[in-house]
Amino acid sequence: MPHQADTPAPAVELSGITKRFPGVIANSDVNITVRAGTVHALVGENGAGKSTLMKILYGMQPPDEGTIAVDGHPVSFGSPADAIRAGIGMVHQHFMLADNLTVLENVVLGSEPRKGLGLDFAAARAKIRQISDAYGLGVRPDRLVDDLGVGERQRVEILKVLYRGARTLILDEPTAVLVPQEVDELFGNLRDLKAEGLTILFISHKLDEVLSVADDITVMRRGTTVASVSPSGVTARKLAELMVGSELPVPELRESTVTDQAVLDVRGLTVVGADGRTVLDDVSFTIHAGEVLGIAGVEGNGQAELVEALMGIRVPTAGKITLADRDITRASTRHRREAGMGYVPEDRHRQGVLLEATLWENRVLGHQTRPPNARGPLLDRRGAKADTRRIVEEYDVRTPGIEVNAAALSGGNQQKLIVGREMSGDPVVLIASHPTRGVDVGAQAAIWEHIRRARADRLAVLLISADLDELIGMSDTLAVILRGRLVADHDPATVTPEQLGSAMTGAGRED
Amino acid sequence: MRKLSPRSVLLGLAAPVGALVFALLVCAAILALTGKSPADTIDAMATATQRPRTIANSINSATTYYLAAVAVAIGFKMKLFNIGVDGQYRMAAMLSAALAGATFMSGVPQFLRIAMTIVAAMLVGAAWAGLAALLKVTRGVSEVISTIMLNAIATYLVSYLLNPARLAQATAGSNNISTRRIDAGGQVPGLPYPGSTSKVFGLIFLAVLVGVLYWFVLSRTRFGFELKATGLSESAAVASGVSVKRMVVYSMLISGAVAGLVGMPQLLGSSYGYALDFPPGLGFIGIAVALLGRNHPVGMAVSALLWGYLDNTANSLDVAGIPREIVAIMQGVIVLSVVAAYELVRRYRVRAEQQEVGRALGRTKTLEEVSS
């Protein structure tokens, strides 16, 4: 594509976009101008209409009103294929990669290079290497996607879009799944892409990230664009106000409620992965009643294995787990749950909910052996439904009823249902993995408040989070996990996110 | 899974009815292209319908098909594909026929004798399915592969055992060989159907009972909940304390036990012995009926009746000079189009429900509203 030296036309210009769903206006009179060769951030709470707008720009839904112009030319997209042809590519929040294929195969999938009747993998491999080198993505074409970490998978997604000739990239909450160091790497990549003349449209609700990487910021609220600002002229606080009309909630604990009664005691817990690698190495800790133990770490350093070993989903190779003086090392997941272990999983769609089951059936999930959901071998449907109504009420799950499928709710509301369910039935310990990931500020504040209240009520909590402010604010004790080992303890009252971040990467350690 | 509302019922019916209409159109087109008259075909089928015998036989076929469909559906509910219902019911019918016809059984009271036959059939069916379950949980063998192979093994095993030197005897005056005939003391009496010499299988009540139990277990028990949960998301089920291996074993055993029942109405109600001409392929019909009936206890009953009706009117097409294979084509088109139609309806439902929720809620609350 030839570059115009003098003031190029905007890469993307959306004007007057309106999109109505029956009864709801998802977008109304949205105006955004994205300058070519810039990183443009689109911020707003969940439900502010960002996703709908991006679906419109990516050709997944037609707008009811308004126009889209790409590089100054008006366009109308009937499908994502049209958008891709116009040079617009999208990197979804949830990766769309086939684990059992290589990077090369994933990238060419759907636009396979042909040579005669066969596939020209050599040409594709060369092209992938060339793109990877040009933008510093560090993607190796012949690795199996299954072996890649989250950050690498994301770079593969970006490369996939570039491979198809995109000049404008839409990134939908790309940092939601990343830890700070990976976020820095991603931002480095974005700057490289920008330097090469590409345009990035970056969707986020993390304000400090937006301020550090964006050239322009557009704020959306209630389906419309409320402000266009430059990062130099705005503070995080000001942005937050624009987004929600008020200040962001702060994670913090009030007075200490830690008792000397040990609830969950873990000694020498070791997990060896299927490939023979030690993924969890001699981990020991104790959580007392009324205590929140926070675990900080870069994703993939054994947190998932720790949680699954604690819940009995994964069999530990060595070690001992004691719950309220009872050895549960060999107990089944059901027994652990019945003994009072609550579980808020990291990936709610994978482990937390049945999307195609009703809310009350989801209330039963994981609690199917206990009142109010069961009487002996029979389900207590009435009891389960009544208790679901209570959770919906107390946890402010926004739903018209309990007979709708979980898939119909927004992620934040699904999460509130999960937290409500796991807090039911008097748990003695809660294993919470990223309890507020992907939820909006209001829901986040509500979930924090519920954890605080349960903690005051002598609940022991293991909190794993990639949000360092949340970890520092919500924990009584902080430990850092690195390559499967607990390497350092920190006092949440004095530690800074920067100190924690460097401990997480192993910087400043002697070995 | 959800409350009955007029709209959801309508949506539920849209797919099968649409598939049926589509299949009718395809068949009409095929008939027209091959120079046969679609009108004559409908006419021939309508005439057949007026004969009480057709209806009685349709009900009998449906009884068998329904049991096969429930056997398949138990697996389907947890995304387990028991393709082996066919082999399971043939093994079960053959061995229980040998048991029921054995000389020492003559002295056993009728009720007990029938019960023993049925229980034996369930045990054999469960055992045959259990092999596939065992392979799956210990060795990770896909149940699709193993049950298909077990079908083939069953075929040879049955023909090995169905030999005068072993469990069978030659039928006088024909080339057929059969297990020893079950005498009146081991038979289940049929129900007379007005105007027809064919009787309706007495074991139709067994099929109804199985249907009721299927409904009850799935929607009212913890086991049924865990079964459905495993089918909807195995990872979520594991995290919820469901032992997936145990569920695989249990559901395969139950599926196999129900598969064992498939041959019973025919065996105890009309054949009175397992012979070379015992109906084959019922397990595969069960798959089609379960698909069409969407694993729903009532839906499968309706589709079993439809299937039985189509099969039994096919005979009358021959008389009218229309190739009876048109019925098989129609059944095939129904299954293919219904699978597509259900997926379309499912997607529409998800979207409609999301919009409904959106409409009921308006927008997300702002922070002020939450904290106030």
Side-chain angles (χ1 to χ4, degrees):
Chain A
M1 208 176 285
H3 257 283
Q4 287 143 308
D6 50 348
T7 57
V12 173
E13 190 166 18
L14 299 163
S15 28
I17 299 283
T18 297
K19 177 74 185 175
R20 298 181 196 87
F21 293 117
V24 178
I25 299 173
N27 281 159
S28 90
D29 194 25
V30 171
N31 298 293
I32 297 178
T33 304
V34 183
R35 293 183 293 138
T38 62
V39 175
H40 192 111
L42 183 62
V43 299
E45 275 201 279
N46 283 3
K50 300 176 304 231
S51 298
T52 307
L53 186 66
M54 288 308 112
K55 281 181 184 160
I56 290 171
L57 178 55
Y58 192 50
M60 292 161 85
Q61 282 168 351
D64 295 330
E65 287 167 29
T67 56
I68 306 172
V70 175
D71 297 325
H73 308 293
V75 290
S76 123
F77 298 145
S79 71
D82 293 343
I84 291 167
R85 231 168 285 132
I88 293 175
M90 176 130 169
V91 176
H92 296 272
Q93 185 181 357
H94 298 282
F95 302 150
M96 312 216 167
L97 297 172
D99 283 357
N100 52 353
L101 297 182
T102 62
V103 169
L104 170 70
E105 288 162 338
N106 265 291
V107 170
V108 301
L109 200 66
S111 60
E112 294 86 349
R114 292 186 191 285
K115 195 163 81 180
L117 285 174
L119 296 181
D120 189 359
F121 278 122
R125 188 174 288 119
K127 188 170 167 192
I128 290 172
R129 286 233 172 79
Q130 179 238 321
I131 296 173
S132 174
D133 292 346
Y135 303 114
L137 294 175
V139 169
R140 282 184 282 157
D142 290 308
R143 287 193 66 192
L144 206 58
V145 166
D146 205 19
D147 300 336
L148 301 184
V150 180
E152 289 170 295
R153 285 176 193 226
Q154 190 166 54
R155 290 198 290 277
V156 174
E157 284 279 13
I158 292 174
L159 196 142
K160 211 166 103 181
V161 172
L162 295 173
Y163 184 88
R164 282 159 177 71
R167 301 288 301 166
T168 298
L169 273 67
I170 306 170
L171 280 80
D172 186 6
E173 305 218 3
T175 60
V177 290
L178 303 180
V179 292
Q181 281 69 18
E182 288 172 323
V183 170
D184 290 343
E185 279 177 40
L186 172 70
F187 286 178
N189 293 141
L190 295 188
R191 289 188 189 100
D192 289 347
L193 292 169
K194 187 174 80 173
E196 295 292 323
L198 271 63
T199 309
I200 316 278
L201 193 47
F202 178 91
I203 305 172
S204 183
H205 55 223
K206 295 189 181 164
L207 305 178
D208 43 348
E209 289 175 5
V210 165
L211 288 173
S212 81
V213 76
D215 300 307
D216 300 300
I217 302 171
T218 300
V219 185
M220 281 188 81
R221 187 167 81 219
R222 293 163 179 257
T224 191
T225 40
V226 292
S228 291
V229 291
S230 137
S232 56
V234 74
T235 60
R237 176 166 302 240
K238 176 73 184 148
L239 263 186
E241 281 172 10
L242 288 170
M243 262 169 71
V244 296
S246 173
E247 227 177 301
L248 286 172
V250 188
E252 60 176 358
L253 296 171
R254 288 156 202 140
E255 70 285 2
S256 170
T257 55
V258 182
T259 62
D260 55 4
Q261 183 202 345
V263 174
L264 185 70
D265 185 64
V266 173
R267 290 293 133 214
L269 195 65
T270 302
V271 172
V272 177
D275 54 357
R277 219 162 44 91
T278 304
V279 281
L280 201 61
D281 191 1
D282 194 23
V283 166
S284 301
F285 58 82
T286 305
I287 312 179
H288 301 90
E291 178 182 3
V292 178
L293 168 65
I295 302 231
V298 177
E299 195 147 340
N301 272 279
Q303 298 95 322
E305 288 79 7
L306 171 63
V307 165
E308 295 199 340
L310 290 178
M311 287 311 298
I313 299 168
R314 194 182 276 266
V315 184
T317 319
K320 189 174 174 195
I321 308 170
T322 314
L323 177 67
D325 296 330
R326 229 180 87 203
D327 183 357
I328 59 160
T329 314
R330 301 268 151 230
S332 68
T333 305
R334 168 171 304 166
H335 286 127
R336 292 178 205 219
R337 279 180 162 278
E338 285 171 350
M341 289 184 80
Y343 179 37
V344 176
E346 168 181 3
D347 183 342
R348 59 178 162 263
H349 289 178
R350 210 172 76 80
Q351 293 191 315
V353 288
L354 302 173
L355 287 171
E356 289 183 55
T358 60
L359 296 193
W360 71 264
E361 285 171 309
N362 274 293
R363 162 67 183 96
V364 177
L365 188 70
H367 302 248
Q368 65 270 31
T369 55
R370 283 170 279 165
N373 303 318
R375 265 188 314 238
L378 297 186
L379 280 188
D380 183 351
R381 290 159 68 102
R382 192 177 307 165
K385 287 180 186 180
D387 201 58
T388 311
R389 280 190 206 99
R390 174 190 66 82
I391 292 175
V392 165
E393 183 67 27
E394 283 180 16
Y395 287 78
D396 189 35
V397 181
R398 311 291 288 158
T399 172
I402 58 167
E403 295 283 351
V404 300
N405 281 350
L409 298 195
S410 69
N413 282 308
Q414 290 170 0
Q415 189 72 3
K416 284 189 274 186
L417 181 75
I418 293 174
V419 173
R421 173 182 79 197
E422 297 305 327
M423 293 284 204
S424 304
D426 294 322
V428 293
V429 55
L430 179 73
I431 311 292
S433 259
H434 308 278
T436 62
R437 174 179 278 180
V439 309
D440 62 46
V441 244
Q444 193 177 37
I447 289 171
W448 284 335
E449 182 52 35
H450 283 292
I451 291 178
R452 261 181 232 126
R453 224 179 286 157
R455 164 179 166 272
D457 226 8
R458 301 176 60 80
L459 179 74
V461 180
L462 179 76
L463 176 68
I464 292 175
S465 179
D467 179 345
L468 297 186
D469 292 327
E470 174 177 75
L471 267 182
I472 293 170
M474 291 297 295
S475 304
D476 294 295
T477 321
L478 260 177
V480 174
I481 193 167
L482 179 65
R483 283 180 225 111
R485 310 180 68 137
L486 291 187
V487 290
D489 287 324
H490 288 277
D491 182 354
T494 54
V495 75
T496 64
E498 289 69 29
Q499 289 166 335
L500 211 50
S502 64
M504 282 159 63
T505 53
R509 257 166 50 83
E510 295 306 306
D511 58 353
Chain B
M1 283 254 162
R2 85 192 59 232
K3 253 192 189 146
L4 282 184
S5 73
R7 186 155 148 273
S8 78
V9 170
L10 209 68
L11 264 179
L13 286 178
V17 170
L20 206 59
V21 170
F22 178 69
L24 281 172
L25 292 177
V26 169
C27 288
I30 290 173
L31 284 170
L33 279 174
T34 52
K36 311 281 179 198
S37 157
D40 285 355
T41 314
I42 293 171
D43 201 42
M45 289 175 88
T47 318
T49 313
Q50 283 156 11
R51 280 195 292 273
R53 221 173 74 90
T54 314
I55 301 301
N57 288 342
S58 300
I59 294 173
N60 283 345
S61 302
T63 304
T64 308
Y65 298 168
Y66 184 67
L67 287 169
V70 172
V72 173
I74 291 166
F76 274 175
K77 272 289 177 189
M78 59 173 282
K79 299 239 160 69
L80 207 58
F81 297 95
N82 182 3
I83 312 294
V85 169
D86 211 63
Q88 289 146 23
Y89 93 82
R90 281 184 287 129
M91 287 293 292
M94 146 94 218
L95 290 175
S96 63
L99 172 75
T103 23
F104 68 86
M105 288 290 272
S106 321
V108 181
Q110 185 175 20
F111 180 78
L112 191 61
R113 194 166 158 191
I114 293 168
M116 281 170 72
T117 312
I118 291 176
V119 169
M122 291 175 75
L123 289 177
V124 173
W128 204 245
L131 291 177
L134 210 64
L135 284 170
K136 187 173 173 77
V137 297
T138 57
R139 285 275 164 267
V141 179
S142 158
E143 76 284 358
V144 176
I145 309 294
S146 61
T147 52
I148 289 175
M149 292 168 96
L150 282 166
N151 280 344
I153 296 174
T155 302
Y156 291 110
L157 208 55
V158 165
S159 55
Y160 170 79
L161 291 172
L162 199 65
N163 183 296
R166 284 169 277 272
L167 293 176
Q169 46 189 235
T171 314
S174 83
N175 289 328
N176 205 356
I177 48 171
S178 166
T179 54
R180 196 168 173 280
R181 186 180 159 86
I182 304 168
D183 56 35
Q187 302 176 356
V188 177
L191 313 167
Y193 187 84
S196 161
T197 49
S198 294
K199 288 189 166 176
V200 173
F201 291 149
L203 285 182
I204 188 171
F205 293 110
L206 180 71
V208 172
L209 178 70
V210 165
V212 171
L213 278 176
Y214 171 79
W215 165 81
F216 180 81
V217 169
L218 273 185
S219 66
R220 291 293 186 274
T221 67
R222 216 172 75 193
F223 175 79
F225 179 84
E226 296 189 342
L227 189 102
K228 283 189 296 187
T230 312
L232 288 172
S233 165
E234 190 176 311
S235 49
V238 169
S240 309
V242 177
S243 163
V244 170
K245 281 188 176 180
R246 194 178 306 165
M247 292 306 293
V248 166
V249 172
Y250 284 163
S251 59
M252 273 308 259
L253 288 179
I254 295 172
S255 174
V258 175
L261 295 176
V262 170
M264 291 301 103
Q266 170 83 22
L267 179 72
L268 301 178
S270 126
S271 307
Y272 309 125
Y274 188 93
L276 291 177
D277 59 354
F278 203 79
L282 297 177
F284 299 108
I285 295 175
I287 295 174
V289 172
L291 278 176
L292 180 59
R294 257 194 126 191
N295 308 327
H296 188 279
V298 178
M300 287 190 293
V302 174
S303 59
L305 280 167
L306 173 71
W307 226 254
Y309 170 75
L310 288 175
D311 277 352
N312 284 285
T313 49
N315 296 325
S316 60
L317 293 182
D318 274 341
V319 185
I322 295 151
R324 59 177 302 163
E325 285 71 22
I326 194 71
V327 166
I329 294 177
M330 184 160 171
Q331 291 173 334
V333 176
I334 290 176
V335 170
L336 285 181
S337 43
V338 88
V339 171
Y342 279 142
E343 180 57 23
L344 289 178
V345 167
R346 192 189 70 83
R347 286 187 195 174
Y348 173 78
R349 255 196 178 134
V350 169
R351 237 195 11 246
E353 195 171 63
Q354 277 167 349
Q355 286 177 5
E356 211 172 292
V357 170
R359 199 160 44 236
L361 296 180
R363 337 217 98 273
T364 34
K365 270 189 179 180
T366 63
L367 192 76
E368 297 144 275
E369 287 164 333
V370 172
S371 44
S372 66

